Amino acid sequence: MLPLQIHLTLPPWIGDVADTNRRYHSDEERVGLAIELSRHNVERGGGGPFGAAVFNSHSGRLVAVGVNRVLPQSCSVAHAEMMTIMIAQQRLSRHRMNEDGGHYVLASSSQPCCQCYGATVWAGVDELLIGARAQDVEELTEFDEGPLPADWVGELQRRGIAVRRDILREQAREVLAAYGASGQPY
Ligand SMILES: Nc1ccnc(=O)[nH]1
């Protein structure tokens, strides 16, 4: 019998870090949560140093969060951004989140790799907020961000997705550096 389903989960401590009652209004609060998730994912062990969150931009409310689950779930697609997008879409019961006319923001502790960049194009995201740059990831860890189009920011903007970078970049770099120094695997 071949398997008929996949099962991806977030760690149980997620609820201690992400506050569903809080309103996250600024870019810094939004990327700040993604970085906090990445930090916990390193400190509590299990996954790579990456966190992400989707917000309803107007209300500031959290729709979903995610952390990197590649190693614990033996799943190369289980990046923080993919987990977050997939959980948000399940919660909204829509594959294109902003099809309801709402405005959705994906915040990521680090620049999306080529896989998550591709996923962002189809997810119905209106804004992408990024902490660390790909060059930070590759300088401080051994993760490979993969090939992106030369004008990847412009490609997103032409599809109506605004991109803002370097939000709390130093804080995001600290988590990457901690992972890089910890000797944990890739
Ligand atoms: N930007 C990222 C790179 C690698 N893994 C992730 O989960 N996220």
Side-chain angles (χ1 to χ4, degrees):
M1 182 65 180
L2 290 166
L4 298 175
Q5 61 175 338
I6 51 153
H7 184 60
L8 295 173
T9 59
L10 294 176
W13 51 259
I14 283 285
D16 305 340
V17 182
D19 181 356
T20 51
N21 293 315
R22 186 170 155 196
R23 306 241 178 169
Y24 298 82
H25 284 296
S26 68
D27 290 355
E28 285 73 18
E29 287 173 287
R30 292 168 178 180
V31 174
L33 175 61
I35 295 169
E36 210 41 43
L37 289 163
S38 75
R39 186 190 319 280
H40 282 263
N41 211 36
V42 176
E43 287 173 0
R44 304 199 193 200
F50 303 100
V54 167
F55 303 89
N56 181 302
S57 186
H58 294 135
S59 69
R61 285 197 186 279
L62 261 179
V63 178
V65 299
V67 290
N68 179 292
R69 299 284 288 162
V70 170
L71 291 177
Q73 306 219 238
S74 308
C75 180
S76 65
V77 310
H79 284 194
E81 299 91 329
M82 299 295 293
M83 295 295 295
T84 306
I85 287 170
M86 290 192 288
I87 290 173
Q89 291 168 338
Q90 291 300 295
R91 178 163 182 203
L92 297 169
S93 304
R94 290 193 293 277
H95 69 282
R96 208 172 282 119
M97 294 192 283
N98 60 8
E99 214 163 47
D100 67 338
H103 195 101
Y104 293 88
V105 181
L106 173 64
S108 187
S109 61
S110 288
Q111 182 179 319
C113 72
C114 63
Q115 167 190 245
C116 299
Y117 172 76
T120 301
V121 171
W122 315 122
V125 166
D126 300 282
E127 282 173 55
L128 174 61
L129 308 178
I130 301 170
R133 292 191 173 222
Q135 71 199 56
D136 300 325
V137 174
E138 292 181 351
E139 173 197 328
L140 297 166
T141 72
E142 286 170 36
F143 290 101
D144 174 11
E145 290 270 280
L148 284 175
D151 184 21
W152 63 273
V153 172
E155 294 289 349
L156 290 181
Q157 285 173 341
R158 276 189 282 285
R159 288 167 170 79
I161 304 169
V163 180
R164 284 196 290 285
R165 294 197 274 176
D166 299 336
I167 300 161
L168 304 179
R169 181 179 177 185
E170 271 314 308
Q171 251 174 261
R173 279 178 56 92
E174 280 168 24
V175 179
L176 294 172
Y179 191 90
S182 72
Q184 292 186 69
Y186 291 93

